[in-house]
Amino acid sequence: MGALELKGITKRFGATEVIKGVDLRVEDGEFCVFVGPSGCGKSTLLRIIAGLEDASAGDILLDGVRVNDVAPARRELAMVFQSYALYPHLTVRDNMGLALKQAGIGKAEIRAATDKAAQMLALEPLMDRRPAELSGGQRQRVAIGRAIVRTPKLFLFDEPLSNLDAALRVATRIEIARLHRDLGATMIYVTHDQVEAMTLADRIVVLRAGKVEQTGRPMDLYNDPDNLFVAGFIGSPQMNFLNAPALSAPGATLGVRPEHLQVSRSAGAIEGQVSHVEKLGGETLAYVKSALHGLLTLRLFGEHDFIMGETLYLSPEPQRQFHFDAEGLRLRIV
Amino acid sequence: MAQGRPVRWHIAVFLAPAVAVYTALMIIPLFGTLAQSLFNLEAGARVFVGLGNFRRLFGEALWSDAFWNALGNNLWFFLIHMLVQNPIGIALAALLSSPKLRMAAVYRTAIFVPTILSFVIVGFVWKLILSPIWGIAPGMLDAVGLKSLFAPWLGKEEYALTALALVSVWQFVGIPMMLIYAALLSIPDEVLEAAEMDGITGWSQFWKIKLPLILPAIGIISILTFVGNFNAFDLIYVAQGALAGPNYATDILGTFLYRTFFGFQLQTGDPYMGSAIAGAMFGIILIGVCLYLFGIQTRLRRYQF
Ligand SMILES: Nc1ncnc2c1ncn2[C@@H]1O[C@H](COP(=O)(O)OP(=O)(O)OP(=O)(O)O)[C@@H](O)[C@H]1O
Ligand SMILES: [Mg+2]
């Protein structure tokens, strides 16, 4: 009930190939998050799954059935758009019920379905308003409600929270996680927000320039990236990439996360000067400029005081190092 | 705040040129005409007759027959535009906005070009086309075996007005098309894609999503059509002359006003009755626009996306 499989999907817009052969399996009930830099093809891939774009090549299978030529509405999936895309002329209730009405379902049943979705999303007091009379967060909840009402096999979200402010984003994120638990439906979620990806995903798919770089559980990607790109993309602040030969380490690049650098004022592997400090209360981020390695980020728990320009010595924790070759591929050294 | 605020002269200064020009060219003539409609000539002298001219216009058979005929014709002229021009304009816009249509720009231009042609050209060209003697319409109908359908449309009392209204529709259908086209383009793609996902495609998408969202534009087109039609004159004058033949079958308020005011052939000009007709036209348009503004437009919702 809701397993998706992509086989060798490519998409060309004119001469440019935007999706370059994506193979992917999303299991039934899984929460799968697509991340990647802007323009890497996340939305395009989602739209291909939805049926809003045709794939140039490859197969899309829903529950084992090829759906390449099935109209979007027949694929039994629902999409939530970044801009909400509500029907401006319809009330919240009609927005949510329109798909069912179009499918010829009876009035009483539609009412029951919309009421149920409204109750799940606390939309009851808003049912007779029009989208223009709602706040951004409320509109997004209506858009989610419109998706729920159709009881789809698969939910598609394209950066649904990026138009919301920080507090609402957290609240809606939790809401979506709860919905996923309650409905048990398969969800595919596009974002470029680290935190959303890490907290929501059962599995993250990292895309880059139309290709899947790595897929895996959030912590697997974090602790065991396959390549430089994934290592740099997952985790915030970004992993530090050090000049490996200068440290006589194997490979071309040595990766170490900001929290895995030990700091000392007297001795260490890397010498550098403090160039900037950010105190976030719970943690302190120090930026250290080193002649051989460039700007490094150092993350320390609690409050720390550094003098601007002061010399620090940093040492990567031995167990927490990642080695990459000149192509950026991970060298797994035991 | 209250005491320190300087008089904002610049507003008056910037408005002055436009107000002056508009007053000189529109407001003064309008009120001059309205005032003149309250006077008439009696024994060679200009005397105030109050609403006497209007009483004659609406009630005295000599005037009122022509007036009601012109008003009725004008309503028919308007009706044809509303029932033919605007639906066709909307349909063309819907077709044009379809992403699958190739060469949309060509069609758009071709359909819009007649609106920038002069009435004189349009009227003359259509007279030539429809002429039973040397027009190409009979020949073309003959070529497809429909010659029996041909009639000298512009020359028959029962067809002439409708034929001219359709010529006007042909000329101006590009305007509603363009306005609706712009309104359709302003509907965000994502809303239409959401409809697509909801299974609302094709015609049902047009009726359920697009049409409600372009209603404000349709309202504006309707009122523009109304004002334009009740001020129309040129096409009839070019095609049928000021007598709006055959037998006044194509006489509308504009041609009636022209004949009365300036005189034509045996009829001498009567500026006072002419002003009364102009006043009546002004009143009709004013009432129509007010009905629209207060009765319809307030009920049309405008959507910001
Ligand atoms: N209709 C189109 N025609 C041509 N190129 C397109 C079209 N749609 C997308 N592209 C290109 O495809 C690439 C991927 O676009 P896509 O919208 O999928 O990126 P994205 O990963 O969603 O980025 P973002 O995070 O900024 O939303 C981009 O380089 C874009 O320019
Ligand atoms: Mg995108």
Side-chain angles (χ1 to χ4, degrees), chain A residues 42-43 82 158-159 190:
Chain A
K42 306 181 293 289
S43 301
Q82 179 177 359
D158 192 354
E159 309 199 26
V190 167

Side-chain angles (χ1 to χ4, degrees), chain B residues 192-216:
Chain B
L192 300 180
E193 286 174 355
E196 200 97 347
M197 300 288 304
D198 277 349
I200 303 155
T201 52
W203 278 108
S204 87
Q205 188 179 85
F206 180 79
W207 290 113
K208 289 184 181 158
I209 311 290
K210 290 180 178 169
L211 193 65
L213 296 180
I214 58 173
L215 271 185

Side-chain angles (χ1 to χ4, degrees), chain A residues 183-259:
Chain A
L183 299 172
T186 317
M187 295 189 174
I188 299 181
Y189 188 104
V190 167
T191 180
H192 41 222
D193 184 305
Q194 287 277 328
V195 184
E196 276 172 36
M198 301 296 270
T199 54
L200 288 173
D202 293 323
R203 201 147 61 96
I204 294 182
V205 176
V206 183
L207 289 164
R208 178 199 194 184
K211 279 190 141 134
V212 175
E213 288 283 317
Q214 190 177 354
T215 69
R217 286 178 299 172
M219 281 310 127
D220 290 347
L221 294 192
Y222 188 81
N223 291 323
D224 190 16
D226 278 347
N227 55 43
L228 204 64
F229 178 79
V230 175
F233 198 80
I234 302 287
S236 167
Q238 219 194 2
M239 184 184 280
N240 293 304
F241 294 117
L242 312 177
N243 186 342
L247 294 166
S248 28
T253 308
L254 175 78
V256 59
R257 298 210 178 266
E259 56 269 37

Side-chain angles (χ1 to χ4, degrees), chain A:
Chain A
M1 251 300 298
L4 171 81
E5 194 170 354
L6 301 180
K7 284 186 183 160
I9 297 291
T10 64
K11 174 70 185 172
R12 240 171 272 116
F13 287 114
T16 49
E17 195 168 46
V18 174
I19 304 288
K20 300 167 186 163
V22 168
D23 295 288
L24 185 68
R25 237 196 106 75
V26 180
E27 301 301 334
D28 182 28
E30 197 171 29
F31 199 118
C32 178
V33 173
F34 292 177
V35 294
S38 187
C40 69
K42 306 181 293 289
S43 301
T44 308
L45 195 56
L46 204 66
R47 292 164 55 82
I48 291 173
I49 297 170
L52 295 171
E53 304 272 7
D54 290 325
S56 306
D59 291 331
I60 306 147
L61 290 92
L62 264 175
D63 288 334
V65 181
R66 187 173 179 275
V67 294
N68 284 44
D69 305 316
V70 177
R74 296 266 163 77
R75 295 189 184 187
E76 294 181 67
L77 37 78
M79 183 149 171
V80 176
F81 295 85
Q82 179 177 359
S83 64
Y84 322 131
L86 298 176
Y87 309 123
H89 58 296
L90 297 180
T91 60
V92 168
R93 180 181 297 286
D94 292 340
N95 259 285
M96 299 207 291
L98 191 60
L100 300 186
K101 196 168 151 200
Q102 183 73 12
I105 288 169
K107 274 210 171 91
E109 237 172 300
I110 296 179
R111 201 172 170 95
T114 49
D115 280 341
K116 186 159 161 251
Q119 188 215 332
M120 281 175 105
L121 294 162
L123 286 171
E124 288 118 324
L126 310 175
M127 290 304 265
D128 295 317
R129 294 208 202 162
R130 271 169 232 275
E133 299 154 351
L134 301 176
S135 74
Q138 291 167 337
R139 281 180 215 184
Q140 191 55 281
R141 293 217 305 277
V142 175
I144 294 171
R146 185 171 64 179
I148 293 176
V149 164
R150 296 179 49 206
T151 54
K153 288 181 183 173
L154 180 60
F155 283 87
L156 305 173
F157 295 89
D158 192 354
E159 309 199 26
L161 308 185
S162 55
N163 285 344
L164 303 181
D165 70 41
L168 254 177
R169 213 178 295 181
V170 174
T172 315
R173 193 174 81 210
I174 293 169
E175 192 100 321
I176 290 176
R178 188 176 58 78
L179 272 178
H180 179 238
R181 273 197 307 277
D182 292 353
L183 299 172
T186 317
M187 295 189 174
I188 299 181
Y189 188 104
V190 167
T191 180
H192 41 222
D193 184 305
Q194 287 277 328
V195 184
E196 276 172 36
M198 301 296 270
T199 54
L200 288 173
D202 293 323
R203 201 147 61 96
I204 294 182
V205 176
V206 183
L207 289 164
R208 178 199 194 184
K211 279 190 141 134
V212 175
E213 288 283 317
Q214 190 177 354
T215 69
R217 286 178 299 172
M219 281 310 127
D220 290 347
L221 294 192
Y222 188 81
N223 291 323
D224 190 16
D226 278 347
N227 55 43
L228 204 64
F229 178 79
V230 175
F233 198 80
I234 302 287
S236 167
Q238 219 194 2
M239 184 184 280
N240 293 304
F241 294 117
L242 312 177
N243 186 342
L247 294 166
S248 28
T253 308
L254 175 78
V256 59
R257 298 210 178 266
E259 56 269 37
H260 299 145
L261 280 171
Q262 285 163 348
V263 60
S264 147
R265 286 202 157 86
S266 52
I270 304 158
E271 183 188 330
Q273 281 74 41
V274 176
S275 74
H276 184 67
V277 178
E278 290 176 343
K279 289 192 194 170
L280 305 177
E283 63 186 27
T284 303
L285 300 179
Y287 297 89
V288 177
K289 197 156 181 61
S290 135
L292 283 174
H293 307 282
L295 193 66
L296 304 180
T297 313
L298 170 66
R299 184 188 205 173
L300 297 167
F301 191 71
E303 273 184 65
H304 295 265
D305 283 314
F306 294 104
I307 303 158
M308 224 40 75
E310 137 180 54
T311 299
L312 291 180
Y313 295 91
L314 308 175
S315 324
E317 287 178 21
Q319 300 310 312
R320 302 285 201 164
Q321 301 179 358
F322 302 96
H323 305 281
F324 302 97
D325 68 12
E327 263 79 67
L329 287 182
R330 174 93 179 276
L331 296 170
R332 289 198 161 82
I333 296 157
V334 224

